[in-house]
Amino acid sequence: MLFSKHPRTLYGNAPVHEVICQLRFPTILSINNTEPADFQEAIRDAFPRYVKRQEAAPPQLVGAGGPNPQLRQAPPVSNYNFLSADNLWKLNLTQNFIALSTLRYTGWEDFAHQLDKPLAEFISIYKPAFFERVGLRYVNVISRKKLGLEGTPWADLIAPAYTGPLQEPDVREENFLNCAADLLLKLDSSCQAKIHAGPGRLKAAPNAPQDPEVKFVFDMDLSMGGQLSCTLSAGALETLHAHATEIFEGAVTDTLRNAMDPQ
């Protein structure tokens, strides 16, 4: 089953590598044109570090439908980065979105608490009309070595929906050069999930050496679209988190679940 009703469980050896929450809104030009000093002051206790990055915007088509359409380079987009003192939490603000990400995910309640004040201050200062997309992404990286499962096939750890070919007995796991599952699922009337799952070797950074261990990546990108009132954003994230729990629990077998040290 893709979705499990297994009770939500906290794991001592949870495989979550990074969690990202992004809320997109109609363009607010003042964010791009003026550094967000008031916003920084409101969140500076939790995010004392600040970096501004200029990112290239995609070119714009000018004169579409006319005799001489042209691609024109759009002005760069300012991406304001606010980081915690230990650099493990990062808040991004641009003219189109606000996002929170962390490499130290300890649980949903802690993550939601870290988002509460920045999101409330953003809404108070910039007054977005609504949110066009609310997204919650979990990047899980499962290491058999870390869990004491070396030698256990992925087919015994991950559900058949994501390991179909690896379940076949006539091909050894190491003979698969690529074996990934990519799904786009409608979850309810307003939510969907984009899932990538498969084994592979990772790099800690673009120029870092490749990790020799084959790990299993289970990447869930859940989102809710439409014109969502700002007052409903917290409820939308709770809904996405509930969907994420059902999907993750449906993806892992009891063997993997027990190795992750359920609390």
Side-chain angles (χ1 to χ4, degrees):
M1 296 177 64
L2 285 179
F3 305 94
S4 171
K5 294 302 181 182
H6 187 280
R8 180 190 169 203
T9 305
L10 298 178
Y11 295 102
N13 291 317
V16 62
H17 170 69
E18 184 176 16
V19 178
I20 307 161
C21 170
Q22 185 193 76
L23 300 98
R24 300 193 68 88
F25 48 84
T27 301
I28 300 177
L29 292 176
S30 62
I31 295 177
N32 201 55
N33 297 335
T34 306
E35 291 198 357
D38 291 344
F39 181 69
Q40 183 200 28
E41 195 60 30
I43 64 166
R44 192 158 54 87
D45 54 340
F47 299 90
R49 301 183 187 275
Y50 170 71
V51 178
K52 177 183 177 182
R53 304 185 189 281
Q54 294 294 109
E55 300 178 350
Q60 298 175 339
L61 182 62
V62 179
N68 298 305
Q70 295 180 343
L71 283 176
R72 182 175 299 169
Q73 183 60 49
V77 174
S78 297
N79 190 331
Y80 305 105
N81 293 226
F82 306 90
L83 297 99
S84 60
D86 58 11
N87 291 323
L88 293 176
W89 291 85
K90 181 171 69 171
L91 190 69
N92 289 80
L93 177 65
T94 77
Q95 64 182 7
N96 296 112
F97 70 80
I98 182 171
L100 176 69
S101 62
T102 185
L103 297 172
R104 188 179 60 189
Y105 183 79
T106 57
W108 172 247
E109 287 75 16
D110 182 40
F111 186 89
H113 177 72
Q114 287 288 101
L115 179 63
D116 278 345
K117 184 176 181 180
L119 183 57
E121 294 292 348
F122 164 76
I123 293 172
S124 174
I125 293 171
Y126 292 104
K127 298 176 175 56
F130 50 81
F131 290 119
E132 299 172 312
R133 182 184 186 274
V134 176
L136 183 61
R137 182 180 179 186
Y138 286 87
V139 182
N140 297 281
V141 179
I142 301 165
S143 165
R144 289 182 288 199
K145 181 178 180 181
K146 179 180 177 181
L147 297 174
L149 293 170
E150 290 178 286
T152 306
W154 290 122
D156 292 346
L157 304 176
I158 307 295
Y162 307 105
T163 56
L166 295 173
Q167 303 278 341
E168 300 300 327
D170 60 335
V171 183
R172 292 172 22 176
E173 183 181 287
E174 57 267 30
N175 289 345
F176 282 93
L177 301 179
N178 182 35
C179 184
D182 291 282
L183 290 72
L184 185 60
L185 298 172
K186 184 176 181 180
L187 302 175
D188 56 37
S189 60
S190 60
C191 300
Q192 68 176 29
K194 183 179 181 181
I195 303 172
H196 171 80
R201 290 183 172 89
L202 308 177
K203 288 186 175 183
N207 296 323
Q210 190 176 66
D211 187 339
E213 181 189 1
V214 175
K215 298 178 180 178
F216 198 96
V217 177
F218 192 73
D219 185 346
M220 301 181 290
D221 188 358
L222 301 97
S223 62
M224 181 181 293
Q227 296 185 10
L228 188 71
S229 168
C230 294
T231 59
L232 300 178
S233 56
L237 287 169
E238 290 289 345
T239 297
L240 294 176
H241 172 253
H243 284 308
T245 298
E246 291 184 345
I247 293 172
F248 179 78
E249 291 293 343
V252 301
T253 67
D254 286 340
T255 301
L256 179 54
R257 189 176 285 114
N258 291 333
M260 291 190 297
D261 186 22
Q263 304 293 300

